[in-house]
Amino acid sequence: MSFAEAIKSFLTACPGPPLAQAGLHMAALQAVKGISELDPKGSAAFERGESDAGSYLWSARQIGDRLNCSAEYLTRAAGKRGYSFARALRWIRFLHAMALLAEECRVETVAYRLGFSDIAGWSRFTKRLVGRSPRQLPVVPLEIWVRKAVDDVFFGVPASREPRGGGIKGRK
C-alpha cells in the first residue's frame, strides 16, 4: 500500500475546519526524499549527513505561513473541533518516519530528513508520542500506525496506552 493510500484514513478523519484539513494534507503529502511517491526526484538514495531539515514542514507556524493564516488560528479552530493540530502534525511526522524506515533508510537519515537536529531528538520525540524508543517500536505495516494516529488524535486514545485485559493466559 502506498503512503498516500495509508494516510488517507487519517486525513479523512479530520473534523475540520477546511483550512486545518488543507494544512494536514499539505504536511502529509509534502515532498520527502526516500518515500517513493513523495520524493520529488524519485530517488530513495541518501548521502551521509544529507539534510532537508530546513524544508520539512513540521510546525503549525510553518503550515500557517503557507496557508496565509496564523498558527494560533489553526490551533484554536482544531481545538474547537476536539483535536490538537500540533499533535496531528507530530503524528504525520512519525508516519513519515515509519515510511522511511520501511524503505530501509538509516535512522540517522530519517532524523535529519524530518527536521531533527540529531538522533537523540528523534528518540525523545518518539518516546513522547508513542511511549517507546525507536528501537522498541514493533515492525508493523504503516496502516497500523495510521490507525493508532487516528485513535490518538481524533478519538483521544493515547498510543502508549496498552489494551486492558487479554494479556498472557494465566498471568494476573
Side-chain angles (χ1 to χ4, degrees):
M1 178 178 283
S2 72
F3 182 83
E5 291 170 334
I7 200 161
K8 185 177 181 182
S9 64
F10 180 82
L11 296 173
T12 57
C14 178
L19 210 48
Q21 288 175 324
L24 292 181
H25 276 84
M26 181 185 298
L29 302 175
Q30 68 182 295
V32 178
K33 188 173 182 181
I35 301 175
S36 58
E37 68 192 279
L38 301 181
D39 190 337
K41 297 176 183 140
S43 169
F46 292 94
E47 298 297 322
R48 183 182 176 102
E50 186 177 3
S51 174
D52 283 341
S55 62
Y56 185 81
L57 300 174
W58 58 271
S59 75
R61 183 157 320 283
Q62 292 168 314
I63 298 295
D65 288 347
R66 296 279 175 102
L67 295 173
N68 288 326
C69 70
S70 69
E72 292 77 18
Y73 168 78
L74 293 170
T75 301
R76 224 177 13 260
K80 286 180 182 177
R81 286 165 177 81
Y83 71 99
S84 164
F85 190 77
R87 190 151 187 91
L89 290 176
R90 284 192 290 275
W91 270 103
I92 288 170
R93 197 176 192 190
F94 179 82
L95 294 171
H96 282 148
M98 293 300 97
L100 288 168
L101 290 171
E103 295 287 334
E104 299 183 9
C105 291
R106 294 176 25 184
V107 173
E108 178 182 60
T109 303
V110 171
Y112 291 127
R113 282 275 164 214
L114 301 181
F116 295 98
S117 59
D118 56 20
I119 296 172
W122 154 243
S123 183
R124 286 188 302 273
F125 170 86
T126 303
K127 284 178 190 173
R128 279 191 301 263
L129 188 64
V130 296
R132 297 180 182 190
S133 72
R135 287 188 175 168
Q136 295 171 325
L137 296 174
V139 177
V140 297
L142 186 61
E143 301 85 60
I144 302 297
W145 289 117
V146 171
R147 283 188 217 142
K148 285 187 169 292
V150 169
D151 286 348
D152 183 35
V153 174
F154 303 114
F155 298 118
V157 180
S160 60
R161 184 174 149 193
E162 294 296 321
R164 296 181 186 255
I168 299 172
K169 192 172 184 174
R171 197 169 164 203
K172 294 186 181 189

